Amino acid sequence: MPSILIKSAQLVNEGKVFTADVYVNHGRIEMIAEEINHPADQVIDAKGLHLLPGLIDDQVHFREPGLTHKGDIWHESRAAVAGGTTSFMEMPNTVPNTLTQKLLQDKFDIAADTSLANYSFFMGAANDNIDEVLKTNPRDVCGIKIFMGSSTGNMLVDNEATLEKIFAQAPTLIAVHCEDEETVQRNLAAFKEKYGEENLDATMHPLIRSEEACYLSSSKAVALAKKHGARLHVLHISTAKETQLFDHTIPLAEKKITAEACVHHLWFSDKDYVTKGNLIKWNPAVKTEADRDGILKALLDGHIDVIATDHAPHTADEKAQPYLQAPSGGPLVQHALQALLDLVKAGKLTLEQLVQKSAHNTATLFQIESRGYLREGYWADLVLVDLNRPYTVEKSNILSKCGWSPFEGHTFSSTIVHTLVSGNVAYSDGKIVEVGTGHRLLFNR
């Protein structure tokens, strides 16, 4: 592996911003110092640029196997790296659903051959695969995923005895999608009766998949975790009300119940359905401006611990269908960092907070080995950004296989200049550098 010397960067790390050189050798950060003059195979002049630890996205849907007309690990991992995300954790609602250890290993094998980013995959839970779930290895698998609400792929776990058993016996972290299915279906029936099925549209999505549906399910998951002492991580919080279910008074490393916010819930509100329609149809739904503000507040005060994307591509044709037929989800991983940097520019969070919530905390929460920080001895997962170079999202620069973005036409205030994955330059000045594959994530459990 080539040695790389990064000169005169503004490092953002562990609550500080400071100028330093960084020397990368054998894939790891060997030295961080005010000035380094070691010979290196490659020297990167980073004057005027900010150096961040690569983002770690704990919730993506890369669609492989079985749904590769929407996306695949090859395309989506390149979109991630182009956006400064160096590691991802992918969800089990592929086809077939990842419900056996064999199917889980199949996904790791695909990633080992094709993923430019570092990777891990969640083991899926269903009503009838508890024996397979309990075989999950905490050391090299990020966690177990439960859909406590149906979404794309319908892996709903609604058997109470199964839920109790998983929460009581799971050998590792449990990540949950929380929406109360009975409430969603009741709301949907009421809207169909009132307006007629053909008259429903995306503006009704946050009312059908409502605050009540989210809170009922999230509070149930939290209660189960407390009852059984489980390690619970609640994904994509979409309401201000839910944020109060989580503790912000203890250090993250000591928490047994944690929560995630997603970029779309920090960026969009229900007012955007008028112009974006199904393009911002996610489960759980983008809700009110008050919810968006409440999620940001909870992120900053520690009720919510990490930021992710829930990157979930569908084709443009699928999204163009009528509201009820259009699937939920959209591509976000390529532009997540730039969206967050725009929030920094707007004064809604600091660079230090962005790094904490999208890299440091994710590494701590999942106990990821030697990643997520700019530290000597850690893997060199790095992103260099120019905070003063605007970047416009266009079809021509979208790398997700689906070929569209809810940010299309938007000009971000910053540009991703270089991304290093496990010590290799994998993206540079607008171009992917084919340097092999990322590494399988390991966990200190």
Side-chain angles (χ1 to χ4, degrees), residues 73-338:
I73 291 170
W74 193 92
H75 283 89
E76 310 316 304
S77 67
R78 280 152 179 75
V81 168
T85 292
T86 53
S87 301
F88 66 85
M89 303 176 213
E90 206 262 358
M91 291 298 167
N93 54 335
T94 43
V95 178
N97 299 154
T98 314
L99 297 176
T100 69
Q101 294 297 320
K102 170 63 168 61
L103 291 169
L104 179 62
Q105 185 58 47
D106 288 347
K107 294 174 78 169
F108 279 107
D109 292 343
I110 295 168
D113 288 337
T114 65
S115 180
L116 193 60
N118 307 312
Y119 54 88
S120 192
F121 297 90
F122 282 90
M123 175 64 186
N127 282 325
D128 57 0
N129 76 328
I130 184 68
D131 290 340
E132 288 290 316
V133 167
L134 297 181
K135 295 176 186 176
T136 304
N137 185 347
R139 170 65 173 156
D140 60 10
V141 177
C142 52
I144 295 160
K145 171 66 180 289
I146 305 177
F147 286 89
M148 292 177 64
S150 63
S151 190
T152 303
N154 196 3
M155 290 178 61
L156 176 66
V157 179
D158 57 2
N159 183 291
E160 295 295 331
T162 298
L163 284 172
E164 291 277 355
K165 195 168 186 180
I166 295 172
F167 274 84
Q169 299 182 29
T172 189
L173 176 147
I174 302 167
V176 292
H177 174 128
C178 287
E179 291 180 284
D180 183 70
E181 188 66 14
E182 183 179 337
T183 301
V184 171
Q185 293 304 321
R186 185 173 63 247
N187 291 343
L188 178 58
F191 271 77
K192 285 181 177 180
E193 182 177 354
K194 184 174 181 180
Y195 297 103
E197 185 169 328
E198 68 280 1
N199 295 318
L200 301 187
D201 62 39
T203 64
M204 302 171 186
H205 194 57
L207 303 175
I208 293 169
R209 302 189 82 98
S210 62
E211 174 191 75
E212 178 192 19
C214 294
Y215 187 81
L216 281 172
S217 186
S218 295
S219 58
K220 179 179 181 177
V222 169
L224 280 167
K226 289 180 176 178
K227 176 181 177 181
H228 295 290
R231 175 66 187 89
L232 172 68
H233 184 49
V234 182
L235 303 168
H236 44 42
I237 295 298
S238 65
T239 72
K241 184 177 181 180
E242 289 172 280
T243 65
Q244 298 308 306
L245 293 168
F246 306 100
D247 195 334
H248 71 315
T249 64
I250 58 177
L252 175 58
E254 298 175 17
K255 289 186 178 184
K256 295 206 72 174
I257 299 172
T258 53
E260 166 203 282
C262 284
V263 169
H264 48 289
H265 293 128
L266 294 167
W267 184 276
F268 299 106
S269 77
D270 56 359
K271 292 183 177 180
D272 294 306
Y273 287 110
V274 175
T275 55
K276 297 289 185 180
N278 292 335
L279 297 183
I280 61 165
K281 181 187 177 187
W282 278 280
N283 298 338
V286 169
K287 296 186 174 66
T288 67
E289 289 181 332
D291 287 311
R292 181 180 63 188
D293 293 345
I295 294 165
L296 178 62
K297 179 178 182 297
L299 185 72
L300 298 181
D301 70 19
H303 283 93
I304 294 178
D305 304 289
V306 297
I307 304 171
T309 64
D310 195 14
H311 173 90
H314 299 283
T315 67
D317 287 345
E318 288 169 332
K319 279 296 205 176
Q321 296 176 100
Y323 163 69
L324 285 181
Q325 285 72 52
S328 292
L332 285 169
V333 74
Q334 185 176 346
H335 305 114
L337 176 53
Q338 288 166 303

